[in-house]
Amino acid sequence: MITVVGAGPAGLAAALSAANAGESVELIESGARLGGQYWRNLPNSIVVDQQALNHDFQSGKVLREKVQAHPNITVLLNTQVWRASHKEGISTLHTISGGTTREIRTNKLILATGAYDRTLPFPGWDIPGVMTPGGVQALLKGNNVKAGKKIVIAGTGPFLLPVATGLAKYGVDVVGLFEANRLRRWIWQLPALLSNISVIKEGASYLHALRKFKVRVQRGYAVVEAHSGSDGNLSAVTVARVKSDFSVIEGSQRKVACDVAAIGWGFTADLSLAGNLGLMQQVSLLDGGTYVVVDEHQGTSQVGIFAAGEITGIGGSKLSLAEGEIAGSAAAGSETNTSKKRKLAKFASALLRTYPVGPNWQSWLKPETTICRCEEVTLEIIEKSVLDLGATDSRTVKLFTRCGMGMCQGRICGRSVNDVVARISGKPASDADRVSSAARPIASPILLGELAQIPIVD
Amino acid sequence: MIFFFENNEIHAIAGQTVGSALLENNVRVLRRTRFEGAPRGMFCGIGVCFDCVVTINGVANQRACLVEVEEGMRVEGFQR
């Protein structure tokens, strides 16, 4: 029996390849349907033109149907793994589904828990109406709801293009599309670009569609402040021209009226379960994110545990599919073919090098800017804990200020706090510090009553 | 279907999340923070940030962006 956690592209591909190799597979998904964030699969009551919102919709549908129909695969939906552990080759997954807890033991586990939008704190980012591109996309793709009437899309990375295109196709006024990095950065990545013509075509098709709606990508611009109106909701953002290190070019600031600003800076891997299982992680030199270390066959540092998709490095759906397929075959003890993965990984690296986050985003912050949204910890409180109380690492700052201790457990601010503390203390964040800020004993909230159901075993 | 937010009737389509249905009805502020009383709404939209937590049928701290609407559901946002 092979257990797969996460039914996005990587998890679906892993389940299918393991099942095709003759293994029986249990696929665990926290959501109500298969597909993950990338392929949002809708109930019949919601009608969305999915093909218009995701050019790759059809392949997702085919994969999902294969998984659903496969006699070797059991799908557990609405099932959240809230805690995992690993001992002597056996992984234990503690799941909760509809208020019922269960323990699943497995000696072959494939982790494919995916990623979420990376956000950066800036003045006003806690005003209702400031969102992530992934969130705005989920509202549209999953609920047929437009997040706003006049939307600004900003941040960095190729993901901004499909989000802007989808909104424009659905009649939303995309009042600005601001990409912080400049096009000329691609010059350094030309070989990777030219060896992936299909991706260039995809990018060009978005740009073409956006032109039809009179939306132009303004490169070298960032949203550096958000403003609220008298009702407390977002009314405008300040956009500025930024240098490649993300410092603001003075005099370039201007206000853009909007009711929603969707701002994303790439992605952050969801490492909660990876941390529980004690999988070795490292900080990527490409984007500064923390990821699970895997070998050529997606094997992790723990016996019998494989990882695939975004938790092993941000690379998009195609790379996730390739990695999932390898992980499924490897877990089943079959031959794997890694050539496709290597090619896609090269391109993923080129993307990350082209759309970096410049360190001077921190110059946008004001003393009163919220850094930790959950615990309402501002920059000046963090500064105080470093300068007055002598904290020199994020963990100590967390203990002094509670930043990262709220309900999201540092998922949103963890990475930024590492960077902020490093700047204030003048001491770079160590890999251990960064890995520990993604460590969470519990992967999702559980009620005490549910916890009490679990029998106590020595 | 119909559910209630702060005792106001909200119309939604089955399968929509509570947060998306509220946004569709122009409800952006879902709660106020416990220290500053600052308004908060949907942020990450996919269950990561916990900014959109509301009380649903008496159970606190439910993520509005994840929970799907049910007929007659009672949703409370603001702390009293």
Side-chain angles (χ1 to χ4, degrees):
Chain A
M1 166 75 86
I2 293 175
T3 308
V4 181
V5 179
L12 288 172
L16 190 63
S17 73
N20 282 342
E23 292 281 334
S24 59
V25 176
E26 196 165 39
L27 174 60
I28 304 176
E29 163 61 38
S30 63
R33 286 165 285 273
L34 298 178
Q37 298 300 335
Y38 183 67
W39 286 313
R40 285 196 162 255
N41 179 5
L42 304 179
N44 295 332
S45 51
I46 297 176
V47 182
V48 173
D49 181 0
Q50 300 225 50
Q51 190 67 49
L53 294 178
N54 185 340
H55 67 99
D56 201 17
F57 170 71
Q58 202 53 37
S59 59
K61 190 164 175 258
V62 170
L63 179 56
R64 218 161 58 213
E65 284 166 359
K66 278 187 188 164
V67 166
Q68 259 153 351
H70 206 293
N72 291 3
I73 303 176
T74 308
V75 176
L76 300 176
L77 295 172
N78 295 309
T79 305
Q80 176 85 49
V81 180
W82 60 272
R83 163 93 195 152
S85 59
H86 182 87
K87 203 175 169 188
E88 289 155 11
I90 305 290
S91 298
T92 305
L93 306 176
H94 298 271
T95 67
I96 178 140
S97 178
T100 306
T101 57
R102 202 187 135 193
E103 254 178 45
I104 294 171
R105 284 171 205 281
T106 180
N107 60 2
K108 282 191 186 142
L109 174 65
I110 301 172
L111 217 52
T113 49
Y116 51 89
D117 294 83
R118 177 181 181 188
T119 51
L120 296 177
F122 65 94
W125 73 309
D126 43 358
I127 295 169
V130 177
M131 291 190 68
T132 65
V136 168
Q137 178 87 322
L139 284 168
L140 190 61
K141 263 162 75 171
N143 299 276
N144 195 12
V145 170
K146 299 165 203 162
K149 292 184 180 70
K150 289 160 78 83
I151 302 189
V152 163
I153 314 277
T156 194
F159 180 53
L160 302 181
L161 295 179
V163 173
T165 307
L167 289 168
K169 278 183 181 166
Y170 264 71
V172 171
D173 187 5
V174 178
V175 291
L177 173 48
F178 303 102
E179 162 59 61
N181 284 297
R182 290 175 169 82
L183 204 55
R184 62 167 179 260
R185 292 194 65 92
W186 270 112
I187 292 171
W188 310 106
Q189 310 301 335
L190 278 181
L193 193 62
L194 294 174
S195 62
N196 284 274
I197 296 296
S198 69
V199 188
I200 307 180
K201 277 190 187 160
E202 191 188 327
S205 79
Y206 291 130
L207 293 174
H208 179 73
L210 286 169
R211 247 197 313 274
K212 270 200 307 201
F213 297 106
K214 301 196 164 46
V215 178
R216 200 166 54 88
V217 188
Q218 300 188 62
R219 297 174 197 275
Y221 287 87
V223 167
V224 296
E225 188 167 2
H227 311 275
S228 58
S230 53
D231 60 355
N233 291 323
L234 183 70
S235 62
V237 291
T238 298
V239 175
R241 226 175 140 65
V242 292
K243 296 179 192 163
S244 61
D245 65 1
F246 282 20
S247 53
V248 170
I249 296 171
E250 272 314 314
S252 69
Q253 296 94 332
R254 67 187 155 96
K255 269 193 180 182
V256 177
C258 58
D259 59 357
V260 165
I263 305 168
W265 301 99
F267 295 91
T268 293
D270 189 341
L271 297 167
S272 310
L273 293 177
N276 282 183
L277 293 161
L279 305 188
M280 187 192 284
Q281 299 167 35
Q282 74 181 20
V283 177
S284 162
L285 295 173
L286 288 167
D287 66 351
T290 304
Y291 300 103
V292 175
V293 177
V294 287
D295 61 23
E296 204 188 354
H297 307 291
Q298 306 303 125
T300 68
S301 60
Q302 296 279 35
V303 179
I305 304 183
F306 300 80
E310 307 295 52
I311 56 168
T312 66
I314 302 304
S317 63
K318 289 188 180 72
L319 180 57
S320 294
L321 286 169
E323 290 173 352
E325 206 179 315
I326 293 167
S329 300
S334 306
E335 291 275 309
T336 59
N337 181 350
T338 57
S339 62
K340 195 168 150 198
K341 165 186 149 181
R342 279 202 299 272
K343 188 183 169 203
L344 288 164
K346 242 182 226 167
F347 186 69
S349 305
L351 277 176
L352 294 174
R353 288 197 186 95
T354 306
Y355 299 101
V357 171
N360 283 354
W361 60 267
Q362 290 197 46
S363 67
W364 311 341
L365 303 174
K366 295 177 179 178
E368 66 276 17
T369 303
T370 300
I371 306 294
C372 166
R373 300 168 68 97
C374 298
E375 294 298 307
E376 300 172 73
V377 181
T378 60
L379 178 64
E380 60 191 335
I381 296 173
I382 292 177
E383 272 172 352
K384 231 178 164 165
S385 74
V386 174
L387 301 175
D388 298 352
L389 301 176
T392 55
D393 65 299
S394 306
R395 198 183 139 70
T396 313
V397 168
K398 178 173 162 179
L399 295 172
F400 283 153
T401 68
R402 293 196 56 82
C403 70
M405 279 194 197
M407 286 195 83
C408 93
Q409 297 189 81
R411 282 176 174 86
I412 298 296
C413 74
R415 234 167 132 170
S416 304
V417 170
N418 289 150
D419 294 336
V420 167
V421 172
R423 177 182 59 84
I424 301 169
S425 67
K427 188 176 156 247
S430 66
D431 277 21
D433 207 16
R434 289 187 184 274
V435 170
S436 96
S437 66
R440 293 166 199 111
I442 289 174
S444 84
I446 177 164
L447 296 172
L448 288 173
E450 293 162 347
L451 208 53
Q453 293 174 17
I454 301 164
I456 298 164
V457 187
D458 283 331
Chain B
M1 60 170 62
I2 289 172
F3 73 104
F4 299 89
F5 179 70
E6 299 289 317
N7 294 323
N8 296 314
E9 259 185 33
I10 306 281
H11 292 259
I13 299 168
Q16 283 184 328
T17 62
V18 169
S20 74
L22 289 170
L23 205 55
E24 181 84 331
N25 287 274
N26 243 332
V27 178
R28 289 181 177 275
V29 180
L30 297 179
R31 67 175 179 107
R32 293 196 173 266
T33 59
R34 64 190 196 282
F35 300 130
E36 300 291 329
R40 289 282 172 89
M42 298 250 280
F43 179 62
C44 83
I46 60 168
V48 176
C49 77
F50 290 79
D51 243 7
C52 66
V53 288
V54 289
T55 301
I56 298 178
N57 292 336
V59 182
N61 299 325
Q62 304 288 301
R63 286 166 280 182
C65 69
L66 293 186
V67 179
E68 290 183 12
V69 288
E70 279 169 28
E71 187 69 48
M73 205 175 224
R74 301 205 80 93
V75 181
E76 318 285 338
F78 305 108
Q79 297 190 345
R80 281 148 218 283

